[in-house]
Amino acid sequence: MKEIVVISGKGGTGKTTIAASFAALAENAVMADCDVDASDLHLILRPVIKTGNRFFCGHEAEIRKNDCISCGACLANCRFEAVKMNGDVAGEAEFSIDASACDGCGACVYLCPVKAIDFHSRYCGEWFVSDTRFGPMVHAVLAPGAENSGKLVNLVRMNAKKTAEETGGNIIITDGPPGIGCPVISSVTGADAVLAVAEPTLSGLHDLRRIMELARHFGIRTLVCVNRSDMNTGISEEIEKLSAESGAVFAGRIPYDDEINRAHDGGISIIEHGKGESVGRIREVWNETRRNI
Amino acid sequence: MSTGTGSKTAGKIFTVAVASGKGGTGKTTVAISMALCAETDVQLLDCDVEEPNAHILLKPSIQGNEHVSMPVPFLDEAKCTGCGKCSGICAFNAIVFLKKPLFLPDLCHSCGLCMKVCPGKAIMEKPRHIGILEIGAKGDVGFVSGCLDIGIASSPALIRAVRKQSKNAGLEIIDCPPGTACSFVTSVKDSDFVLLVTEPTRFGLHDMTLAIKVIKQLKLPFGVLVNKSISDDDCIGKYCSSEKIPLLMRIPDDRSIAEAYSRGVDLMEVKPELKDGFLKMIDAVRAIAEEDGGK
């Protein structure tokens, strides 16, 4: 079983367009959406949820006002600016925790001299195993603004693998998050390959270099394709050259195509839509990807 | 916070976070256009530390770099009694215990708790490099950008370092990362207004609604700018009018804008006629924030 993760560095380059197309083109695939805090793949694959599971991860602190002696130890020990002091003089001030800043480390909880701080487990989202017209899909929704997106990503990947084993799937197609931080690292470590979807802009090139460096850092085989390649053919060429120089496989160029938004408005992939210049090119990128993993 | 902004009267710093949910909708383009248009003391903070791009369009001269580190624990073996308390208390499973603790810096959140609870005072901290701040200016526009080291997971720590560079006056514009998770929250927190830049596609609308959920939890005033706009009667317009969300500006879908962007040319150079629209939007943003602060 192989696992390919579609990533980009820069946001909005077309990861979900490509992942949804791959889902339509693959046989015996399991789909995973690891962009857990802004997931869109479900808008195209329209999964029918079979099982949903709540995801609790980590803790958050809450001060019991009646037991607090206003000593300020919590404020002094918090490195995340999550303890708010209402009033000026320690000893009389009222302390509270800003849940949106609390990292869940427990420093205030353990170091409170009168043990006046509770440590609740934190609801961080939900994850689902679903059916789609292209096969099983594992996806998730991070609770608004929640921490621990990396751990939710791990859960999605683990269950995508399990689902593939149970259903005889031979490839996992993963829609990844943008960036190079925590959720991206969780999405790519240990995968068979990543496909970086780049756009031919100076920003796109800058971000592609960083995501390729990240893939190299973790020793992951890298493929690159350019989306909206005709927007700037010079930079598209530069991207192709960069791939060759850094040992990545160049998987193809996809032209700008109005039909993609039309397909997505109808809740289908561009492959099913069947119209538009990009269809054949995405098919070629898929074939190249399949050959190289 | 709705009650917090009221204390910030005119003349004090006014912070607008430019965010989106979905990536690639034009946050950086909008943030830079606002900074270039504003006829006031203005500073741009690029908090998209995983993929910072503002410098490509703004082309500031960089006056200095600052290295940013996080403290991570290390052990004075002679003092360690092998009690294992550090490992048991770490919320991030960043300390493996085999007779002595082994620290895993990739998982460490730098909370410092292990050091504080160690009965033998055997744990100390050393800095771990996580990224660089670039500080500079383009004309009257002050500029700070954070760039995360490759392989480092902890973006929020670097975002906090960027935001510490805040001045105490003028207009502050924050170029936020995409998504709705902790990096986004760290970037928009305590701002006076969140401007959501979106595009009239299903993905743009869906991710904007996710971002709005978070912003409502944070109790921040917000409004919407539609980029790549084709029609006034699109899915974003309909959503905003049914939810009574202020739709503050539309930037037309125009291939010449996209092509200029691809070459690193900023919007104000290609479409200077949009300046008026940006100035009006900044005024509208201030008015909404003031009204919200007065609640």
Side-chain angles (χ1 to χ4, degrees):
Chain A
M1 185 212 310
K2 301 287 183 185
E3 186 184 18
I4 171 95
V5 185
V6 183
I7 53 171
S8 69
K10 185 173 180 336
T13 62
K15 285 180 296 298
T16 303
T17 300
I18 301 293
S21 298
F22 281 10
L25 289 164
E27 274 166 37
N28 257 338
V30 171
M31 275 59 72
D33 192 347
C34 285
D35 191 3
V36 296
D37 62 306
S39 59
D40 287 327
L41 189 61
H42 66 284
L43 297 174
I44 307 303
L45 299 191
R46 290 174 275 129
V48 178
I49 293 170
K50 287 197 306 186
T51 57
N53 310 270
R54 286 159 76 79
F55 168 60
F56 287 88
C57 191
H59 293 82
E60 64 190 48
E62 189 182 2
I63 298 173
R64 291 191 311 275
K65 292 210 160 60
N66 290 340
D67 297 324
C68 173
I69 56 166
S70 297
C71 68
C74 49
L75 180 65
N77 285 308
C78 177
R79 288 186 173 174
F80 303 96
E81 295 164 20
V83 179
K84 301 291 169 211
M85 184 168 76
N86 198 353
D88 289 333
V89 190
E92 287 170 18
E94 195 176 285
F95 292 88
S96 61
I97 308 281
D98 174 358
S100 70
C102 176
D103 204 58
C105 70
C108 61
V109 177
Y110 293 108
L111 300 171
C112 173
V114 293
K115 302 279 167 249
I117 305 179
D118 291 331
F119 209 29
H120 311 290
S121 54
R122 180 178 270 190
Y123 170 72
C124 282
E126 264 179 281
W127 62 275
F128 312 95
V129 180
S130 302
D131 276 330
T132 76
R133 59 196 183 281
F134 305 122
M137 172 174 177
V138 183
H139 49 124
V141 179
L142 189 74
E147 305 257 344
N148 293 311
S149 58
K151 288 191 177 131
L152 187 53
V153 165
N154 284 338
L155 207 53
V156 168
R157 285 183 69 197
M158 229 168 60
N159 283 284
K161 269 186 205 134
K162 199 171 139 225
T163 305
E165 275 158 18
E166 286 164 6
T167 59
N170 59 29
I171 186 164
I172 297 170
I173 296 166
T174 302
D175 191 7
I180 61 160
C182 161
V184 181
I185 293 172
S186 296
S187 298
V188 303
T189 41
D192 294 286
V194 295
L195 171 65
V197 182
E199 66 171 33
T201 64
L202 285 180
S203 301
L205 184 61
H206 172 267
D207 296 354
L208 176 66
R209 284 207 172 93
R210 284 168 64 78
I211 195 77
M212 286 174 78
E213 206 181 312
L214 184 83
R216 201 157 42 236
H217 180 90
F218 289 107
I220 306 163
R221 189 174 175 75
T222 305
L223 294 93
V224 175
C225 69
V226 184
N227 193 16
R228 304 175 200 126
S229 56
D230 48 336
M231 198 61 83
N232 189 321
T233 46
I235 298 180
S236 290
E237 266 157 39
E238 216 171 307
I239 290 172
E240 193 166 345
K241 223 164 68 193
L242 173 70
S243 314
E245 282 164 8
S246 46
V249 174
F250 188 75
R253 293 186 191 190
I254 302 158
Y256 179 83
D257 188 351
D258 273 340
E259 293 295 335
I260 290 175
N261 276 341
R262 272 184 214 124
H264 291 176
D265 283 343
I268 57 172
S269 67
I270 182 73
I271 300 296
E272 295 160 277
H273 184 66
K275 276 184 288 203
E277 268 184 275
S278 62
V279 177
R281 300 293 194 84
I282 294 177
R283 202 179 282 272
E284 283 166 27
V285 171
W286 166 247
N287 291 336
E288 198 58 29
T289 304
R290 206 68 189 93
R291 262 198 296 280
N292 281 285
I293 53 170
Chain B
M1 240 162 267
S2 59
T3 48
T5 50
S7 62
K8 287 176 185 168
T9 49
K12 298 257 180 72
I13 188 162
F14 184 78
T15 302
V16 180
V18 181
S20 71
K22 183 177 179 330
T25 58
K27 285 180 296 298
T28 305
T29 296
V30 167
I32 286 173
S33 302
M34 287 173 72
L36 291 173
C37 287
E39 287 154 346
T40 169
D41 187 13
V42 53
Q43 173 158 260
L44 179 74
L45 305 181
D46 191 349
C47 284
D48 188 1
V49 300
E50 295 179 32
E51 297 290 17
N53 290 147
H55 65 283
I56 294 172
L57 289 165
L58 187 66
K59 304 179 190 73
S61 56
I62 299 300
Q63 284 132 17
N65 289 323
E66 229 170 76
H67 293 270
V68 181
S69 308
M70 279 168 67
V72 292
F74 73 98
L75 190 69
D76 181 343
E77 300 222 9
K79 288 186 182 165
C80 177
T81 61
C83 71
K85 199 167 178 190
C86 52
S87 172
I89 211 162
C90 176
F92 310 106
N93 302 316
I95 306 175
V96 179
F97 194 78
L98 305 153
K99 289 183 186 164
K100 294 267 162 90
L102 175 69
F103 300 110
L104 307 174
D106 282 338
L107 299 179
C108 178
H109 285 218
S110 298
C111 69
L113 184 57
C114 56
M115 176 181 72
K116 287 168 188 160
V117 300
C118 175
K121 306 246 176 289
I123 300 176
M124 284 160 293
E125 289 183 318
K126 60 180 179 185
R128 182 189 196 212
H129 199 273
I130 60 164
I132 289 181
L133 296 186
E134 288 194 322
I135 300 164
K138 164 85 173 198
D140 294 336
V141 179
F143 175 79
V144 182
S145 169
C147 188
L148 189 71
D149 288 350
I150 305 285
I152 296 284
S154 34
S155 320
L158 186 58
I159 294 170
R160 281 191 287 269
V162 176
R163 295 201 58 186
K164 287 228 163 73
Q165 296 293 320
S166 173
K167 293 179 187 164
N168 19 5
L171 176 64
E172 177 174 85
I173 295 164
I174 299 178
D175 190 4
C176 297
T180 64
C182 45
S183 297
F184 164 80
V185 173
T186 311
S187 302
V188 303
K189 253 179 85 58
D190 303 322
S191 61
D192 296 295
F193 192 89
V194 183
L195 178 65
L196 287 169
V197 180
T198 190
E199 59 182 37
T201 63
R202 283 188 85 171
F203 295 175
L205 173 63
H206 175 260
D207 294 352
M208 179 182 82
T209 60
L210 296 176
I212 288 173
K213 274 190 193 164
V214 183
I215 295 166
K216 283 188 170 165
Q217 273 186 11
L218 295 170
K219 300 191 173 69
L220 297 171
F222 65 97
V224 169
L225 181 152
V226 181
N227 191 15
K228 306 175 201 171
S229 169
I230 299 167
S231 144
D232 284 355
D233 188 35
D234 58 20
C235 59
I236 308 291
K238 285 182 182 127
Y239 182 84
C240 287
S241 65
S242 80
E243 298 292 313
K244 302 199 169 45
I245 294 165
L247 199 164
L248 297 162
M249 188 174 173
R250 286 180 178 273
I251 299 174
D253 186 35
D254 184 332
R255 195 169 165 115
S256 70
I257 297 177
E259 283 176 358
Y261 172 84
S262 81
R263 300 190 304 273
V265 176
D266 78 79
L267 179 62
M268 282 301 102
E269 203 176 317
V270 211
K271 298 271 169 199
E273 66 271 25
L274 290 174
K275 181 174 178 179
D276 260 0
F278 275 106
L279 286 174
K280 281 191 187 125
M281 182 182 71
I282 295 170
D283 285 345
V285 160
R286 279 187 187 273
I288 296 169
E290 214 156 275
E291 194 183 314
D292 185 84
K295 270 180 207 164

